[in-house]
Amino acid sequence: MDLIDRLKWRYATKKMNGTQVPQEKVDKILEAARLAPTSSGLQPYEILVITNQEIKEKIKPVAWDQEQITDCSHLLVFAAWDNYTEERINNMFDLTNEIRGFKNEGWENYRQMLLGTYPQRPAEENFVHTAKQAYIGFANAITAAAFEEVDATPMEGFDPHAVDEILNLKEKNLRSVLLLPLGYREPESDWLEPLVKVRKNKEDFITEVK
């Protein structure tokens, strides 16, 4: 199957069978998320990979008791920066300079512009922005999972404050945004699996402006 065929194949799996996803496939899914574009290249989020069953059991009650949390192979938690700080911005710009092996005046001017803007904004405004960046990586991960024929269930239905506490994210200045269980479907027990995927038709979805 090509990518489009695999995207047609995927759906928000409601019942997983507990089979472990090979680590090489998980690594590719995570790499796709790592390579996702982000605003100013800051990558203002991190991904926690939960395989510890006890921790999954703690998360399940604060995620609407969704069974995929505990039946999945790997639970990915996308956690965004709680704020933009000078240290975080400088770390990413310094990393870029280190990897590329040179400094660019325009790039350094851009650094100063961000330093003069982002840290001065309210923390909640900045978090909304970092969370949006996490969604981009999240989309890459879902697409990569489909390509690897790994089932994935996008989840916003959970108590982020409770998940933050379970995973001690506040200590890392992170806030949970999205959950993504990875695993394999159990068709016989999943009411959604046999249903036809429904999307708007192309004419109602895409407008060409020529």
Side-chain angles (χ1 to χ4, degrees), residues 1-11 142-143 145-149 151 185 197:
M1 291 193 293
D2 65 14
L3 177 59
I4 298 302
D5 287 332
R6 286 189 167 107
L7 290 175
K8 291 177 179 178
W9 166 85
R10 72 148 302 277
Y11 72 108
I142 292 174
T143 301
F147 190 81
E148 294 296 325
E149 294 187 286
D151 286 302
R185 65 188 68 178
K197 184 189 290 287

Side-chain angles (χ1 to χ4, degrees), residues 16-170:
M16 294 183 173
N17 62 18
T19 300
Q20 290 296 299
V21 177
Q23 189 60 46
E24 62 186 36
K25 289 182 177 287
V26 176
D27 290 342
K28 289 180 180 179
I29 293 167
L30 293 171
E31 182 67 356
R34 189 183 73 88
L35 293 173
T38 56
S39 180
S40 301
L42 293 176
Q43 290 186 280
Y45 63 93
E46 298 180 17
I47 302 173
L48 288 80
V49 183
I50 313 298
T51 55
N52 183 298
Q53 197 63 24
E54 290 184 7
I55 295 178
K56 291 189 212 172
E57 294 286 353
K58 290 180 180 179
I59 293 176
K60 182 180 177 181
V62 299
W64 299 358
D65 282 317
Q66 295 177 85
E67 293 183 352
Q68 304 96 313
I69 297 292
T70 48
D71 292 345
C72 71
S73 169
H74 296 69
L75 176 62
L76 308 188
V77 180
F78 286 72
W81 291 355
D82 61 356
N83 199 0
Y84 283 113
T85 64
E86 290 187 4
E87 180 181 11
R88 280 172 157 168
I89 292 171
N90 280 325
N91 283 344
M92 286 306 298
F93 274 78
D94 291 344
L95 177 63
T96 298
N97 290 341
E98 178 184 347
I99 291 176
R100 291 178 176 169
F102 65 88
K103 287 187 178 183
N104 175 276
E105 182 179 356
W107 183 239
E108 290 303 317
N109 289 339
Y110 189 67
R111 180 207 298 250
Q112 294 306 316
M113 187 272 288
L114 292 186
L115 290 172
T117 305
Y118 283 11
Q120 283 70 44
R121 299 190 309 196
E124 191 61 28
E125 179 181 346
N126 281 335
F127 170 68
V128 169
H129 189 263
T130 63
K132 289 179 179 179
Q133 308 312 304
Y135 273 85
I136 300 173
F138 189 78
N140 265 27
I142 292 174
T143 301
F147 190 81
E148 294 296 325
E149 294 187 286
V150 172
D151 286 302
T153 307
M155 290 184 178
E156 292 180 302
F158 66 98
D159 181 345
H161 298 294
V163 171
D164 292 353
E165 186 173 343
I166 292 169
L167 299 177
N168 298 316
L169 295 184
K170 188 174 182 180

